Structure formats: structure tokens, C-alpha cells
Amino acid sequence: MSMRYNSGLDGIKQYVGGKQKKDAQTFFDGEPVKMSSNENPLGVSPTALRFAAESLPESNIYPDGANLELRKGIAALFGIGPQNVIVGNGADEVIYYAAMAVTNDGDEVVIPRITFPIYEIAFRIMRAKIVYSEMKDCYIDLQDVLDKITRRTRVVCICNPNNPTGHALLHDDIYRFIEAVGPDVLILMDEAYSEFADGETFPDTVSRLKEGRENLFITRTFSKIYGLAGFRVGYGIGGRELIERLHRIKLPFNISLAAQHAALGALQDDDFISETLSTTRDGRKLIYAALDKLGLRYIESSTNFIFIDTGKDGDLVADELMKRGVIVRSAKNYGTPTHIRVTVGTKEQNLRFTDALASVLK
Ligand code: PMP
């Protein structure tokens, strides 16, 4: 008799994160720049760091398992109650919880072909059937997502702005989409990069939830604009019943004391957020100008990363950049063989990238 495993795992490829500095150090003598995982190039929010440090001596005590103070802090940002918020060990965790909460064997989940891979993993674990929505060029096609919904569909996943393309769907399109999806289908709206998007045209999905669209579950993270990727804090916003059910699944003490305090500090650090935003906006412009000069196609980004068609094999370009001390992500595994995704960095990092790219493509 041999071991039997969860059959949902058979179709899963392990998630592989962006390459690390140590990967580059085997090829490159100097200090490499890591532009592969969309982290904040300015570091950790200083207020977050201070709050976390102050909490450390109390780390012999379990943190508040209900994460209530942090949920209240997040809720206040959106004018909702803490009963509408769950916090997770990264947004990844709440995405897993959502999959666990709504999926039964064989349910269908619609996922755009080119998007963040965690949805597919989480729903496959739950033995869902993944139905891919085809992209229009490299853009999510909301009409195609709607067309893929059947009686068996339980969830549709929309990453807005989308990773790895960086493209944001506009409010009118998203509002129409939300109206068109039946109330029995959960819309997993992943807004991990929303803070980088244009506030004028970006959808206010939380207001739709407040208006009664209880099939919306909106996920966000402290990993990007707040600079807390290493602390691991993300959250989900949804209807009270969904959030209550997610708390039945939640690990009892899923976020460390230090991480909870870091997130509370980050929420107060408006200066850090403005600085991150202006660094990102300036950085996008600098990189666009260099890409224009090289004659490369890219998608205008609403995030802190840019999706670039290098016209050459993406793995090869990423390897060559690595040899020059610049770590980016090849997008070959997303089904876009000639693309790379680069995180917008500081001015100095962006120049290292654009110089290295010009030298690779010469
Ligand atoms: N969603 C998207 C689109 C992401 O890119 C990421 C981070 N790579 C996450 C969710 C998860 O973020 P975290 O778990 O760090 O909060």
C-alpha cells in the first residue's frame, strides 16, 4: 500500500518567488539590485519599524488571535467595521482561506490565463476545476471571464491591477462586471497593487460591497506600498458572513505580534506612502523613456513594476541581466516567452536596470 495524497495537488506546480540577491552573487562581484519581487525600494516604513521594535519584548505572549486592533485600523481606512475585515500572513493566506471557505470538489473557478499564480494553487488544493479566461493581447478580458461562467462556477479571480502585466481595469468596466456576475459567484478581487494606481479611474470596490454586493472579496497587502513584505501582513474585505466563515478557518495566531504592530505603524506613516508613490511614478517615467529609446514594447503600469517585451527569450534576458547584477523576473512561465517583469526601484536602481538592459540587447 502506498501513501495517498490530495488529488488536487497533482496539477500544482510549486510557487517559485523572484530570484534573490544570493542567486546573483554567484555571477556578479558587486552589490546586486533586486528588482524581481515588487518590494518597496525605500525599505520598511520607519514608523512600522519603530512600532514593531517596541513590541518585541512582549513576544513571549501570544498575539491577539482575533487581530482586532489591526482589523479596526484597516476598517477605519474604508469606513467599514472590523467584522468586514480578516488579516492574514500576507494576502496569500487570505486567498487560501477564501478558497477553503467557498469551494467544494469539482466547482469551477475562472482565472485569467496571465495572472498571479496563487489563485490557481489555492483552488486546485480544494480540488476545483480551473477554467482559464483568455487574455486580449496581454489584457484581462472581462467579457471573456463572464462568458466562462457556468452553473458550476463558484469563483472568478480578478487581479486589479494585474500581476505580471501591471495593467489596471477601469472603474466603469469593473462596476459593469460586478453587476453582471451572479450573487452566488464569489468575485475574488485582488488589489495588492491598487495604491499605485490612478485614484481617479481605479474602482472603489469597497463601496460596491457596502451597497450590498456581498459576493465581493477584496484582498490587499502591506507587502508593497507599506514596505512590509518580510513581516507578512495582508488582508481581505468582505461581507460579514464570509468574514465570519473565514475566521473559522484562520490559524489561531496567524500574524506575529511584531508584524501586527508593524502594520499598525505603517497605517500612520503617510509620509512614507507619499514618498513611495512619488519614487514609483518618477521611476516608471525614467524606465519608460529608456524603453522607448530601445524601441521596446511595454504595458503602461498602474503598479510598482513594468511588463516589458524584450523581443528575445525572457529567461535569457533575465540571466544576462543577472550577470550584470540586476535581478528581474522572466515572464516566460506566464506564457509570455519574450517578456520580463521589472520592479520599479530607486533612481539609482532604475538606471542600473536600464543600462544593463541596453547592454544585454545591444
Ligand atoms: N496578490 C498579488 C497580485 C501579488 O503580487 C502578491 C505578492 N506577490 C500577493 C497577492 C501576496 O502578497 P502578500 O502575501 O505578500 O501579502
Side-chain angles (χ1 to χ4, degrees), residues 48 63 84 114 154 191:
N84 294 109
I114 301 177
R154 285 278 66 78
E191 298 184 349

Side-chain angles (χ1 to χ4, degrees), residues 195-233:
E195 295 92 345
F196 297 100
D198 173 6
E200 298 276 299
T201 53
F202 195 76
D204 177 2
T205 47
V206 177
S207 74
R208 300 290 130 154
L209 175 72
K210 285 190 214 166
E211 286 163 20
R213 296 304 306 218
E214 300 255 324
N215 59 328
L216 263 172
F217 184 56
I218 301 141
T219 58
R220 293 197 175 198
T221 182
F222 282 88
S223 297
K224 310 295 171 185
I225 196 134
Y226 296 102
L228 302 189
F231 275 105
R232 312 300 304 124
V233 192

Side-chain angles (χ1 to χ4, degrees), residues 90-92 95 116 119 159 163 190 192-193 221 223-224 232-234:
D92 287 342
I95 293 168
F116 186 51
Y119 321 131
C159 186
N163 180 6
D190 180 350
Y193 299 93
T221 182
S223 297
K224 310 295 171 185
R232 312 300 304 124
V233 192

